[in-house]
Amino acid sequence: MPTTSPDARTLAVPAEAIHTFGPAAQREIAARTAELAAASAGRRIDELGTGLGPMPAFRAEIEATRDIIDSRVHFIVYDRVEGVDTLRGQAVYAWLLGSALGRPMVQNHQGWRFIEVYDRGNQGTVEEGARYHQTKQGSHMHNDAVNDPEPIDYLLLSCGQSAYLGGESILVDARSVHETLRSYPEVLSVLTRDFWFEKRGMTAAEDGFFRSPVISYSPEGEALVRYFRTYMEGAHTKLGTPMDEEQRAALDFFDAVLDQSGVQYRIRLERGQTLVSADDRFLHSRTAFVDRFEPREIDLDADRPDRVNRYMFRMWSRK
């Protein structure tokens, strides 16, 4: 089970947001994972097809839990599967989950649909232009696909190894934030207007920018969110159109709301667990962390889980 924050002021994780696959589904996952891990040795995970094969129990449990992500809690943690013990095995399991939920989406200008998240130790900081997933920084609250004009439905983060210390996931539902903002219509009005966003990592072109509000609404009237302040400020600066005082004040207010413990869940993913959230309805961040070893490149095939630093796998999926 995930370790939640001992701070009683944060929200308790609902029981339905933790799912352990049943024995039949676990057997299917372990067998299919072993087959695909052997077949993909030495290759990128996203070179695998998205066909799941004969996995009826697994598929049924995914569909039975989908509404928890889509409509109810807006996130779920799928627990460790017995028999999935290697880094490549965990990566394949993550790929199966992301493919069962939807169509795996491209996450960078190289066309990768599966990203390894760990501190490389040589990428600099997010403020200096590094991608967040290549550092061990804590960060502003954000949702993930903010650098792609087309939103995704699901963000998947799967744990190959947890940090020595820290690295908690901080999770905030856009519904609770929007409910607070309704009492401050002057702030909400600014957040529903367009800001510039940067397509950082998604394109090598000089015109890698687009406009979008922070808060928008689904056809049913549900609040949707697009936010990563560092990427937004970078876009405004690079375009020579700095945010005005009203915009900066609105983002300061938004950050203050997101920082309230009363709207936050805190979860520390343990090895083998996978967090899935509804990306345009949910914000997240992580606490800074300390690793066991000096940063280095990790080999998905040669390295053992107990010999690596914090190591996560990320997917974006669209229904």
Side-chain angles (χ1 to χ4, degrees), residues 10-11 141 170-172 258-266:
T10 57
L11 299 171
M141 196 71 67
I170 306 173
L171 312 172
V172 175
L258 296 175
D259 278 345
Q260 302 305 301
S261 56
V263 301
Q264 294 182 353
Y265 300 95
R266 287 202 173 208

Side-chain angles (χ1 to χ4, degrees), residues 56-310:
F58 172 62
R59 291 173 184 269
E61 291 197 42
I62 290 293
E63 294 309 315
T65 54
R66 187 185 294 272
D67 191 57
I68 296 170
I69 313 168
D70 288 350
S71 304
R72 284 147 55 186
V73 186
H74 287 163
F75 76 91
I76 195 168
V77 175
Y78 291 106
D79 217 345
R80 186 171 179 172
V81 169
E82 185 176 353
V84 177
D85 301 316
T86 65
L87 293 178
R88 181 166 288 274
Q90 185 66 28
V92 170
Y93 168 41
W95 179 257
L96 291 173
L97 275 172
S99 300
L101 286 163
R103 180 164 54 98
M105 303 306 298
V106 168
Q107 300 183 52
N108 61 21
H109 69 275
Q110 295 164 289
W112 294 356
R113 296 175 295 160
F114 191 87
I115 297 288
E116 297 164 78
V117 179
Y118 66 99
D119 178 28
R120 271 69 168 181
N122 59 359
Q123 301 296 313
T125 67
V126 173
E127 291 76 16
E128 294 168 340
R131 295 289 297 276
Y132 175 58
H133 70 267
Q134 297 174 331
T135 76
K136 62 177 180 182
Q137 286 179 262
S139 177
H140 282 294
M141 196 71 67
H142 63 284
N143 55 327
D144 231 56
V146 293
N147 49 349
D148 189 338
E150 294 298 319
I152 60 171
D153 292 304
Y154 303 114
L155 163 66
L156 180 150
L157 190 68
S158 189
C159 183
Q161 181 56 276
S162 58
Y164 179 68
L165 178 69
E168 282 187 317
S169 294
I170 306 173
L171 312 172
V172 175
D173 195 322
R175 286 178 299 200
S176 58
V177 174
H178 185 260
E179 192 61 32
T180 299
L181 292 173
R182 288 177 60 187
S183 300
Y184 303 91
E186 70 284 0
V187 177
L188 187 56
S189 174
V190 177
L191 296 175
T192 54
R193 301 174 204 161
D194 280 350
F195 289 77
W196 281 108
F197 285 78
E198 183 179 4
K199 297 180 184 177
R200 187 179 299 191
M202 297 298 289
T203 176
E206 294 297 323
D207 60 348
F209 305 95
F210 63 97
R211 292 177 65 81
S212 174
V214 173
I215 300 291
S216 59
Y217 299 93
S218 71
E220 298 74 32
E222 185 175 6
L224 307 176
V225 64
R226 179 189 292 274
Y227 190 59
F228 199 154
R229 185 162 182 168
T230 305
Y231 285 17
M232 295 163 66
E233 290 175 336
H236 278 266
T237 298
K238 290 175 182 179
L239 289 168
T241 56
M243 294 182 194
D244 60 34
E245 185 175 337
E246 185 180 44
Q247 289 175 312
R248 289 194 302 270
L251 296 189
D252 288 344
F253 194 98
F254 191 56
D255 284 337
V257 174
L258 296 175
D259 278 345
Q260 302 305 301
S261 56
V263 301
Q264 294 182 353
Y265 300 95
R266 287 202 173 208
I267 293 176
R268 176 182 158 93
L269 288 180
E270 300 297 340
R271 180 183 153 203
Q273 294 181 321
T274 301
L275 169 69
V276 179
S277 63
D279 191 60
D280 60 356
R281 291 165 169 80
F282 219 79
L283 297 118
H284 67 278
S285 184
R286 69 165 183 240
T287 61
F289 60 89
V290 176
D291 269 327
R292 296 167 179 80
F293 314 107
E294 287 298 311
R296 63 173 176 84
E297 291 293 321
I298 295 175
D299 188 310
L300 196 58
D301 293 302
D303 279 314
R304 302 197 317 266
D306 62 347
R307 299 305 301 167
V308 300
N309 288 325
R310 185 182 190 269

